[in-house]
Amino acid sequence: MIFWEIAKRNIRIHLLRSSLAMLGIVIGVVAIASMGILGNSLVLSVSDSLKTVGDSVIVTPHAGGSTRGFGGGGGATSLTISDQDFQQIKRVSAPNIAIPVLQTSDRMKLGVGKDDIVTIIYGLDPDDIPDLLNLESGDYIRGNSGCLVGSTFAKDNNVKVGSRISIGTDGNKGTLRVTGIIEERGMAFDVSTDSAIVATKDWFDAAYNRDDYDKVVVKVKNLDDIASVKTAIEKQMNKRDTTVDVMDTRKTMETIFEAFGQITTFVSAIGGISMLVAGVSILNIMMMSVTERIKEIGIMRSIGAQRKEVMAMFLYEAIILGVVGSILGGVMSLLGGYAISSLMLQTTKYLFVPSSLIHIVYGMTFGIIICVICGIYPAWRAANLNPIEALRHE
């Protein structure tokens, strides 16, 4: 392995030059791996936020449907689903659970001396609530005088189980007692409860004079049936005209994840550009090394060194630069991924999962491959020098 030792000796002799070349590889590996880790962490974060609604088909009124006014004095116009339509949706969705949802926004007061706030209010049948929402603390609603509040709403307004909330301007819609706090759900396509309150359907009907629904959420027991449930609802409800829009949340999630995957690929490609720049630097250094050692190459060839051995010697140099630079880049990628995850996602729990760590392997592999490719031409040129002309070189 004398040529391996010669390769290492040459790197030591030109340590500063070699270190600067390796620095480019380190930067390239860090850029590729860190961006890959960030992209994958974003996908996992969104996946966790949406996992509670990935089994749902959501039915909402089509823009061509009937309209009505509702709300705490807002007079806003919105589309609705009638009870008759709901019964049809429930029938074609069976045996899956169809949950009608009422929704509005209104003023409310959380205590004496506190300012009024405006937030979303949902109305649900108490029997449906456990199928849709999980509780962080407290109990589900048992009567029409109780309500649930979202975790963010509870934290922001210092609301606890047992707190009372006056609904409407000056409490004209009545007072509800908080019986439970809903577990954080993150982003949701069905009901976004983190900053909302949930009351019973009967209370909502009485307070807002409602006999229709804003949406219907169908919880599908077998995920493989989501597409067929969606199709069945569309065929039943949109026979003549389009009266409802039906959304398959799993398909929507797949679209979101695909978009994040494309973003991850794009930002990783930007990191790949820095790696290519580093490769050009390696190529330049290797060409300089060949030029500086032409006479040495001539001597080696004259005492019996074969072309493939000379070529291997220069390839060894490129491999050493690539491997050492990639290893350093891989270690620094962990630190970079930790810092980026902490700053942008406020959590590092997605850093040490296999789908994130694999991006470090990708970055290191790419770094080594680039170094080898950029070392092939200088090595080939060195191996094909004319020994006699090389000995005459000054």
Side-chain angles (χ1 to χ4, degrees):
M1 295 297 291
I2 186 171
F3 293 101
W4 175 262
E5 296 299 326
I6 293 174
K8 291 195 293 184
R9 182 211 64 179
N10 191 59
I11 290 175
R12 286 196 301 268
I13 292 174
H14 302 97
L15 186 60
L16 178 60
R17 189 172 71 188
S18 300
S19 298
L20 291 175
M22 281 191 290
L23 180 61
I25 298 298
V26 170
I27 293 172
V29 172
V30 170
I32 292 174
S34 297
M35 291 301 99
I37 289 172
L38 175 60
N40 186 70
S41 297
L42 283 170
V43 170
L44 293 177
S45 177
V46 173
S47 178
D48 281 352
S49 297
L50 297 176
K51 65 183 179 182
T52 57
V53 296
D55 61 348
S56 303
V57 172
I58 300 173
V59 186
T60 54
H62 184 66
S66 60
T67 61
R68 57 152 175 92
F70 75 93
T77 298
S78 181
L79 305 173
T80 62
I81 296 175
S82 68
D83 186 65
Q84 181 181 356
D85 288 339
F86 165 66
Q87 295 302 327
Q88 294 185 61
I89 294 170
K90 182 178 180 180
R91 180 172 55 81
V92 299
S93 301
N96 300 295
I97 301 170
I99 303 172
V101 179
L102 292 153
Q103 177 180 340
T104 188
S105 60
D106 209 341
R107 289 183 174 278
M108 59 192 67
K109 186 179 285 292
L110 303 173
V112 178
K114 292 187 177 181
D115 294 334
D116 287 1
I117 63 171
V118 177
T119 194
I120 295 172
I121 303 173
Y122 290 106
L124 296 171
D125 189 314
D127 293 335
D128 292 331
I129 293 176
D131 294 317
L132 191 61
L133 305 173
N134 296 320
L135 294 186
E136 181 181 296
S137 60
D139 298 312
Y140 288 105
I141 307 171
R142 292 175 182 168
N144 291 334
S145 62
C147 72
L148 305 175
V149 299
S151 58
T152 303
F153 181 92
K155 292 174 186 175
D156 292 347
N157 299 287
N158 195 29
V159 172
K160 298 178 175 59
V161 174
S163 299
R164 293 188 176 276
I165 303 174
S166 297
I167 309 297
T169 305
D170 298 325
N172 65 328
K173 297 293 192 304
T175 300
L176 296 173
R177 177 181 172 274
V178 178
T179 64
I181 296 174
I182 304 166
E183 189 177 275
E184 184 176 357
R185 305 184 79 225
M187 293 181 291
F189 300 116
D190 48 10
V191 289
S192 300
T193 57
D194 287 353
S195 297
I197 72 171
V198 176
T200 66
K201 173 184 176 297
D202 289 342
W203 177 90
F204 199 106
D205 287 344
Y208 296 102
N209 191 27
R210 293 286 304 280
D211 58 358
D212 47 18
Y213 307 108
D214 295 279
K215 67 178 72 172
V216 176
V217 178
V218 180
K219 304 298 286 186
V220 182
K221 297 176 182 178
N222 186 344
L223 294 181
D224 293 332
D225 294 337
I226 285 183
S228 61
V229 171
K230 177 177 181 288
T231 301
I233 295 173
E234 288 176 329
K235 289 177 69 175
Q236 176 65 32
M237 303 303 298
N238 299 330
K239 289 180 179 178
R240 298 178 182 176
D241 299 314
T242 303
T243 59
V244 297
D245 295 319
V246 187
M247 181 176 71
D248 173 353
T249 56
R250 188 175 67 168
K251 193 70 175 178
T252 303
M253 289 171 63
E254 290 173 356
T255 302
I256 292 173
F257 296 151
E258 183 180 348
F260 272 110
Q262 292 173 346
I263 293 172
T264 301
T265 302
F266 175 74
V267 295
S268 297
I270 294 175
I273 293 173
S274 64
M275 184 73 79
L276 292 176
V277 173
V280 173
S281 176
I282 295 290
L283 175 62
N284 183 50
I285 286 175
M286 295 298 296
M287 291 300 295
M288 290 174 60
S289 180
V290 171
T291 302
E292 291 172 350
R293 298 162 63 190
I294 288 178
K295 193 164 188 176
E296 178 184 331
I297 294 169
I299 294 172
M300 285 190 291
R301 290 296 309 280
S302 66
I303 59 176
Q306 299 180 20
R307 287 183 177 181
K308 63 179 182 180
E309 292 172 327
V310 174
M311 188 171 183
M313 178 179 66
F314 283 92
L315 282 177
Y316 288 155
E317 290 186 27
I319 290 171
I320 292 172
L321 293 176
V323 170
V324 174
S326 295
I327 291 174
L328 292 174
V331 173
M332 293 183 67
S333 294
L334 279 175
L335 301 177
Y338 186 92
I340 292 175
S341 297
S342 299
L343 290 173
M344 298 191 68
L345 301 177
Q346 279 76 54
T347 179
T348 58
K349 69 177 182 178
Y350 306 113
L351 176 60
F352 296 102
V353 298
S355 57
S356 290
L357 295 178
I358 192 65
H359 289 282
I360 296 178
V361 177
Y362 291 156
M364 293 174 63
T365 302
F366 189 47
I368 294 172
I369 290 173
I370 286 293
C371 285
V372 172
I373 290 175
C374 291
I376 289 176
Y377 175 70
W380 175 85
R381 184 182 175 190
N384 285 276
L385 285 173
N386 186 302
I388 297 175
E389 292 182 359
L391 286 170
R392 293 175 179 172
H393 184 79
E394 294 296 336

